[in-house]
Every structure is written in structure tokens, then in C-alpha cells.
Amino acid sequence: MTGTRTIIAFAAALIAAGACAKPTELSYQATAPEQVVAFVESEGLKRVQRIEVLLDIPLQHTQVFRVVYGDSFPVVGLCERGCGYAFPSAVGLRLREHVGWLVAADTSLRRRFDVLPSDDYLFTEDLFTRFERADVILFQQPFKALLASDLDTPEPALWMLVQGLSSWISPSLATRLLDNANVAANREMLHRISQLPVFQGDAYKDTRERAARMLAGDK
């Protein structure tokens, strides 16, 4: 996927598109689990209109959800007739009693999901597979970035992120991994990153060189 397509797709994850005509007020239906509803209500979002469960894993008490709220705004080029309307939204993650925002354009939403060592299911291949199938952009960008940046993410999960760099080109994720002190102290991970393949345009050139310098003791 090219960088432009990635940015466009990621931006689409932050808004909920309406019709080309200005939409009427949407009805708020609290069909999400009560823990998610309670979290959303506690955040004080104005005019919550919809909570969409994007991924639901009941046996693990896990959901990825999108909240649509606020006032509609025009978006040029949203539909073929020129200008459509959209609503602001934010995406959250719930794991048992642990709930937080995964990505939100509204900077006032400060209760971001903080990875805890006890979040066992968060680091499993099962969740990775289900999340990627449900929404590949949210999985490859904000979710992986969350894990890559947190010092509580265990080594096996960091390895999954490092290995995934070869199948989904993401220099920003590679940078987050190299900024993680646990990756910086792991010579095998650094070596793997220093040997990332050369793709068209060589997006990993700086990443490989930085990893090589870190292996040599020059950060």
C-alpha cells in the first residue's frame, strides 16, 4: 500500500461518513457492552449518536469500538456529487475492565489505552489475526503503534511487530520500535531490523542504518 493510500484510509477511520445531503440527527443506540457504554458516558462526549462495535470477542471480554458524536461537518469530495457530510469519531479498545481510546482526533480525550503487563490477551496471535481481519488499517497503524511504544509490551509481542515489518511497510512503526528501550537492548531484534528487505523506494533505508548504528553501540 502506498503512503498516500495509507493516509487516506487512516483518515477515514476517524470519521463516520454520512450521505451527500446533510444528514439528520442520528439516534443513539447503546448496543455495546455496558463497560464500553459506561466508559463513553464518563468521557463527556457531546451528542453521542452511535457506538459501533468493530470487533467483538465475548469469550475474552474484548471489543474494539467506534464512537460517533458531535456535529456534522462538510467534507469536500466525500461523494461523487462534490461535498458530503461526516461526524467526528474516536476508536476505543476494551479488554475486560481495562478501557481506553486507541485513536482520536479530539485531543481532549486523554484517557488513552495504557498497555498493562496483565493484558495477556492483548499480546496474542489470536487477537492480532482477528483485529487485522476486522479493520486492517486500525490494526496496522494505531494498534501496532500502541504496542510498539509501550515498555509493558512483552518480548514475544514485540517480536511479532518486528516480523510484521517485512509484510506491511511501515517506517513509522519501525521507528517506534527502535525508540522502545526493550527493543534497543535486544541485539537479535536490532539485527532483524537492520536486515529488513529493500522494497521499491527503499522506505526502510534509514531504519536499517539506524539499527546497524545501534548494534555498533552508536545510537
Side-chain angles (χ1 to χ4, degrees):
M1 178 177 289
T2 65
T4 300
R5 287 175 59 198
T6 301
I7 292 171
I8 292 173
F10 184 52
L14 295 179
I15 62 174
C20 289
K22 188 171 182 178
T24 57
E25 188 76 4
L26 299 176
S27 60
Y28 171 36
Q29 297 180 341
T31 57
E34 60 181 13
Q35 293 89 344
V36 170
V37 174
F39 170 77
V40 171
E41 291 179 346
S42 72
E43 286 293 89
L45 293 174
K46 295 182 179 179
R47 292 178 290 283
V48 173
Q49 301 173 41
R50 189 165 66 245
I51 300 177
E52 305 168 335
V53 178
L54 307 177
L55 174 63
D56 188 15
I57 311 174
L59 291 178
Q60 298 295 337
H61 309 286
T62 297
Q63 288 85 33
V64 177
F65 57 94
R66 176 183 288 119
V67 182
V68 181
Y69 64 97
D71 299 318
S72 63
F73 57 91
V75 181
V76 176
L78 186 63
C79 67
E80 60 184 9
R81 284 184 287 178
C83 185
Y85 286 83
F87 291 91
S89 72
V91 177
L93 174 63
R94 177 229 171 182
L95 184 62
R96 297 184 178 85
E97 303 306 316
H98 188 186
V99 192
W101 297 113
L102 183 60
V103 58
D106 188 346
T107 57
S108 67
L109 301 180
R110 301 186 182 279
R111 291 176 62 185
R112 301 302 173 101
F113 193 95
D114 179 28
V115 177
L116 300 176
S118 58
D119 291 335
D120 295 341
Y121 185 63
L122 194 66
F123 316 121
T124 63
E125 187 173 350
D126 181 66
L127 177 59
F128 275 42
T129 299
R130 290 172 183 260
F131 201 155
E132 185 170 28
R133 288 175 179 171
D135 193 313
V136 66
I137 299 300
L138 287 174
F139 170 74
Q140 292 289 351
Q141 295 189 27
F143 177 69
K144 281 191 170 183
L146 170 76
L147 296 183
S149 301
D150 202 296
L151 294 178
D152 287 326
T153 300
E155 183 176 314
L158 291 174
W159 266 116
M160 286 194 286
L161 299 178
V162 170
Q163 292 165 350
L165 293 173
S166 297
S167 57
W168 182 281
I169 304 173
S170 179
S172 62
L173 179 62
T175 296
R176 287 179 181 272
L177 286 165
L178 292 177
D179 288 341
N180 187 312
N182 293 328
V183 174
N186 190 308
R187 294 188 62 81
E188 292 183 4
M189 288 188 190
L190 290 178
H191 178 73
R192 180 64 176 266
I193 295 174
S194 73
Q195 299 298 313
L196 284 171
V198 177
F199 297 102
Q200 184 177 5
D202 200 5
Y204 284 138
K205 181 178 184 294
D206 292 341
T207 299
R208 290 195 306 272
E209 292 177 352
R210 181 184 173 191
R213 291 196 301 271
M214 293 172 73
L215 278 168
D218 180 11
K219 299 183 180 182

